Amino acid sequence: MHPRNPYRIPPDFKELALKFPEFRKHAKQKLSGKIEIDFKDAAAVRALSTVLLKRDFNLEVELPPDRLVPTLPLRINYLLWVEDLLQSAKPATEQLVHGIDIGTGACCIYPILAARMKGWHFTATETDEVNFKCSVDTVERNCLQTHVAVIKVSAESMLRGNIDTTKLYDFTMCNPPFFDSDSFGPKSRSEKRPLPMCPKSGGSTSATEIAVKGGEVKFIENLINECHDLKPCVRLFTTMVGHKSSLVPIKALLKEAGACSWKETEFCQGRTTRWGLAWTFSDNIVLGSPTQSQRKTRMKGPPPLNYSISRERWSSKGEFSVACVLLKSVELLNSLKMEIRKVKEKKGRKAVEFIAKENTWSNQRRRQREEKRIANQGLEQPELKKAKIDVATPEQQNNHKFCLKGLILVEETDTDFISLQLQWIEGGLGRESVNQILQYMKNHLFEK
């Protein structure tokens, strides 16, 4: 999941159930006390998306019962990836962003999220009458008419004739029908395995939203052909891809169409994986080299710092387990006055996110030596000199209200070794701040 995605930490269903009656009726409590919902129940998924939009983005949305339910982690992953592409392709002096959403769906999800989160402007197109009316109502209900224009178009064209070609657009977005209407159902790796209905989560959709003649490859081929004609007025073209096997034929089509460069990524959220593909016909925008094989990219930021702990070295610390190592690590972070947030756990692997409101880790060794010297001399401890701190930018101070955010991952690599990884997310002096914290943890775990 993208490092800036707010749903990297899953929402607290108990909190949602207490706050929103419309969600509470779909929530079920397990014997363990954990609150969950049935993700195969379209009404439950619809209620979840609705209350999250209301709580986290102040968006009032009504989703029709017979249309595709937008799940927020995937949609936000796509938007944040587009933002990353724009930062590398768009001059920093230009502030106004204008995108095109092809097939905006029942609630205009991408435009309203982008308008609320980023202040972007959108032209949203839609062929389905129900989706069009719901999207117009959603935009008006949330007073976003100055940022989002919804246009009813015919199914014969995606872009051609639907946009004002005298304007310059920064990007297009598209969430195409993934399946072939002639052989409806997802691709299966085994002929014996029954083909499940799609989608797995919230399976209440109209057929045209998830299936089209020729499948997503044919749909995106038509899109590429139209993009070629509109290359003077659109900088970046992007689309989501539902099947990994579709990437190779689509990239071959891009090469044939004369795209200058393209780039792919993976959107990973829970059990669902989708792919993103971006391309451009502009010589001055470099997304990637079409002559080299594209590296698979998960939006992770810099690589984590890794420290391997052996069973032998841990012997004096207690039980040699992932849980014990994480507990000791959290105790050290607590001593640095950091906020700890639990992240989803798996067998043999545990993680927490830490947030520092201020720098409490710099020059810790000097502080400890001074405290030890004073203790040995039996003197009254003077006020220590102020430690040099990582200075957050004004933007970080105003928008994030924190100095540093990172992730600790502890997992068992084999029976005699446990890996302790620290991942920088944002803030501070980047990876250097996380490296200082790792050194502090190593010193306190093994040098005391």
Side-chain angles (χ1 to χ4, degrees):
M1 197 174 291
H2 195 287
R4 297 198 304 278
N5 195 317
Y7 299 115
R8 289 178 71 256
I9 301 173
D12 186 336
F13 285 178
K14 182 178 180 180
E15 177 188 328
L16 292 176
L18 290 172
K19 189 173 182 179
F20 299 101
E22 62 268 41
F23 178 77
R24 188 184 310 139
K25 62 184 180 182
H26 299 286
K28 300 175 183 177
Q29 187 171 25
K30 300 178 69 176
L31 292 176
S32 62
K34 183 179 179 181
I35 303 296
E36 63 177 20
I37 64 170
D38 181 5
F39 280 93
K40 294 180 181 179
D41 179 1
V45 178
R46 191 179 305 112
L48 174 61
S49 293
T50 302
V51 298
L52 289 178
L53 285 167
K54 183 184 299 184
R55 185 194 69 172
D56 299 335
F57 303 100
N58 192 28
L59 288 168
E60 295 286 342
V61 173
E62 292 183 11
L63 298 170
D66 56 347
R67 290 298 185 270
L68 187 65
V69 180
T71 51
L72 298 193
L74 174 58
R75 268 63 181 180
I76 294 175
N77 270 347
Y78 190 180
L79 280 171
L80 292 174
W81 180 59
V82 170
E83 183 181 35
D84 292 338
L85 293 173
L86 290 177
Q87 287 176 352
S88 62
K90 188 178 177 69
T93 55
E94 297 186 24
Q95 299 298 322
L96 182 65
V97 175
H98 197 150
I100 302 170
D101 184 21
I102 303 168
T104 200
C107 71
C108 209
I109 187 66
Y110 289 120
I112 64 173
L113 278 173
R116 189 69 92 213
M117 293 170 62
K118 309 293 179 183
W120 291 356
H121 292 250
F122 258 93
T123 298
T125 67
E126 180 55 55
T127 61
D128 181 85
E129 184 65 27
V130 173
N131 284 346
F132 171 70
K133 288 182 178 178
C134 289
S135 290
V136 171
D137 290 344
T138 300
V139 171
E140 292 177 351
R141 186 182 301 115
N142 292 282
C143 302
L144 293 172
Q145 299 95 316
T146 57
H147 285 72
V148 181
V150 186
I151 302 173
K152 179 73 164 60
V153 298
S154 68
E156 283 69 40
S157 175
M158 285 176 266
L159 288 171
R160 197 181 291 125
N162 297 335
I163 62 172
D164 184 354
T165 55
T166 63
K167 293 182 178 179
L168 180 62
Y169 299 90
D170 294 293
F171 65 93
T172 68
M173 298 183 73
C174 183
N175 191 5
F178 295 149
F179 304 107
D180 189 343
S181 56
D182 291 339
S183 55
F184 184 70
K187 300 175 184 179
S188 175
R189 294 187 297 274
S190 169
E191 292 182 359
K192 295 180 180 179
R193 182 188 301 173
L195 294 174
M197 288 300 291
C198 172
K200 292 180 181 178
S201 298
S204 176
T205 64
S206 66
T208 56
E209 288 182 303
I210 55 176
V212 67
K213 188 174 179 63
E216 65 182 352
V217 174
K218 183 61 179 176
F219 184 95
I220 297 173
E221 179 183 3
N222 295 336
L223 175 60
I224 292 171
N225 291 335
E226 292 195 26
C227 291
H228 188 273
D229 297 337
L230 297 169
K231 59 184 179 182
C233 61
V234 181
R235 292 181 175 181
L236 297 175
F237 301 91
T238 76
T239 184
M240 193 182 294
V241 179
H243 303 298
K244 188 177 182 180
S245 59
S246 299
L247 290 172
V248 171
I250 293 172
K251 286 187 285 187
L253 291 168
L254 288 174
K255 185 175 181 180
E256 184 180 340
C260 294
S261 63
W262 56 81
K263 188 172 187 177
E264 67 180 85
T265 192
E266 241 179 25
F267 302 125
C268 302
Q269 45 284 312
R271 297 180 181 179
T272 303
T273 300
R274 296 285 183 259
W275 291 264
L277 193 60
W279 64 93
T280 183
F281 293 99
S282 300
D283 295 331
N284 60 341
I285 298 176
V286 179
L287 298 175
S289 174
T291 60
Q292 300 175 356
S293 59
Q294 301 288 321
R295 295 176 61 188
K296 291 191 298 183
T297 304
R298 293 191 184 193
M299 304 303 295
K300 291 184 177 178
L305 296 165
N306 186 55
Y307 181 59
S308 186
I309 303 172
S310 67
R311 179 183 294 275
E312 180 182 2
R313 196 170 189 198
W314 188 264
S315 58
S316 62
K317 303 292 179 183
E319 180 188 357
F320 186 68
S321 66
V322 168
C324 188
V325 172
L326 182 64
L327 178 62
K328 296 286 186 184
S329 301
V330 169
E331 288 175 355
L332 289 175
L333 294 180
N334 284 331
S335 72
L336 292 174
K337 301 177 181 179
M338 293 191 184
E339 179 183 340
I340 307 298
R341 295 179 181 175
K342 192 174 181 181
V343 178
K344 195 171 182 180
E345 300 177 354
K346 295 181 180 179
K347 186 177 180 181
R349 175 177 176 148
K350 296 180 182 291
V352 295
E353 187 176 84
F354 59 89
I355 298 174
K357 302 292 184 182
E358 59 180 328
N359 184 323
T360 54
W361 59 87
S362 293
N363 297 325
Q364 281 293 326
R365 292 177 71 87
R366 181 184 66 78
R367 289 173 176 268
Q368 292 158 19
R369 286 196 301 268
E370 184 69 13
E371 289 171 0
K372 187 175 181 180
R373 182 185 66 79
I374 292 169
N376 290 339
Q377 293 178 359
L379 300 175
E380 183 181 349
Q381 183 174 341
E383 184 179 350
L384 294 176
K385 290 182 180 179
K386 231 177 183 179
K388 183 180 178 182
I389 66 170
D390 299 344
V391 180
T393 65
E395 183 180 353
Q396 290 171 343
Q397 293 171 347
N398 294 334
N399 297 336
H400 300 301
K401 305 277 195 295
F402 64 83
C403 174
L404 176 72
K405 185 184 291 187
L407 185 78
I408 284 189
L409 173 65
V410 181
E411 61 181 335
E412 186 177 347
T413 52
D414 60 44
T415 55
D416 293 318
F417 288 92
I418 289 176
S419 169
L420 173 65
Q421 297 182 24
L422 267 71
Q423 170 75 58
W424 174 81
I425 297 176
E426 55 183 320
L429 294 178
R431 203 161 179 257
E432 176 57 30
S433 295
V434 175
N435 184 46
Q436 292 172 2
I437 295 172
L438 179 59
Q439 294 303 319
Y440 170 81
M441 294 176 67
K442 287 163 63 177
N443 295 337
H444 279 69
L445 285 172
F446 300 111
E447 294 183 16
K448 270 197 164 184

